[in-house]
Amino acid sequence: MKTVIHHEIYGPITYSESDWTGKKEIWFGSTPLVKRGKSCFVWKNHEGVETIVTVKGNLFSGRTLYIGAERVEVQPASKWYEIVCSFSILLFILVWGNSVTLCSILPLVGGAIGGAISGGASVLCLLGMKKFKNVGGKLLVWLAAFGATVLICFLLGLAILSLLL
């Protein structure tokens, strides 16, 4: 995910982090910062003075840069409804897939397989929701992730039933 903010002292700050590998990159203007550790960077200003830039935070709490003693938020924290919607997918599959009565209506695979599928879908849903600014787009991402997860768990449930019968 790539974020660009404008700071009154440092100008445009670009923060980029891969959703898959976690690789972080930071630019002040068009100058890339030199990486010194997993979340530690060094910035040299035009006078040659080095400043330590530290990245803290995660997908839930947001990302913050600590530039010397200054704190700059580059990615906001996840909203409560993003987290609730995303993990409602996991909760739905775990409850439905482990109930004999509900599975007689719609057979969804539960247990470890359903939990792994719906857990992965929940994380992907949260990542997808963070890419949209408006609530309508976020809800469409949630609906697509929910529908895809239910469909996958349903097809796996049917496959397991056909093997047992």
Side-chain angles (χ1 to χ4, degrees):
M1 181 176 288
K2 187 174 186 178
T3 306
V4 178
I5 62 165
H6 296 282
H7 193 268
E8 62 272 358
I9 298 172
Y10 305 107
I13 298 174
T14 305
Y15 175 80
S16 176
E17 183 173 354
S18 170
D19 293 335
W20 304 107
T21 63
K23 180 181 176 187
K24 300 175 181 83
E25 295 176 338
I26 303 172
W27 294 271
F28 284 3
S30 60
T31 307
L33 275 62
V34 179
K35 194 167 190 176
R36 285 260 175 98
K38 187 175 180 179
S39 59
C40 186
F41 295 81
V42 176
W43 174 61
K44 278 189 180 180
N45 66 7
H46 59 279
E47 299 166 356
V49 177
E50 289 187 350
T51 305
I52 301 293
V53 178
T54 307
V55 180
K56 294 201 177 183
N58 55 39
L59 182 63
F60 298 108
S61 66
R63 305 285 196 293
T64 305
L65 298 180
Y66 291 91
I67 308 167
E70 190 170 352
R71 181 180 186 270
V72 177
E73 184 180 273
V74 291
Q75 288 180 345
S78 296
K79 307 283 190 261
W80 67 269
Y81 55 86
E82 294 172 341
I83 295 169
V84 168
C85 285
S86 294
F87 289 99
S88 69
I89 297 169
L90 174 67
L91 185 64
F92 178 81
I93 296 296
L94 288 179
V95 169
W96 193 286
N98 290 309
S99 170
V100 176
T101 307
L102 293 174
C103 280
S104 66
I105 300 168
L106 180 69
L108 296 180
V109 67
I113 296 170
I117 292 168
S118 59
S122 294
V123 172
L124 290 175
C125 180
L126 186 59
L127 287 170
M129 289 174 85
K130 297 282 280 180
K131 295 185 187 296
F132 285 88
K133 297 283 184 206
N134 62 351
V135 177
K138 292 173 189 274
L139 288 176
L140 283 176
V141 168
W142 171 77
L143 188 61
F146 183 79
T149 305
V150 169
L151 179 64
I152 291 168
C153 290
F154 172 68
L155 293 174
L156 283 172
L158 286 180
I160 291 171
L161 278 177
S162 69
L163 290 174
L164 296 176
L165 298 175

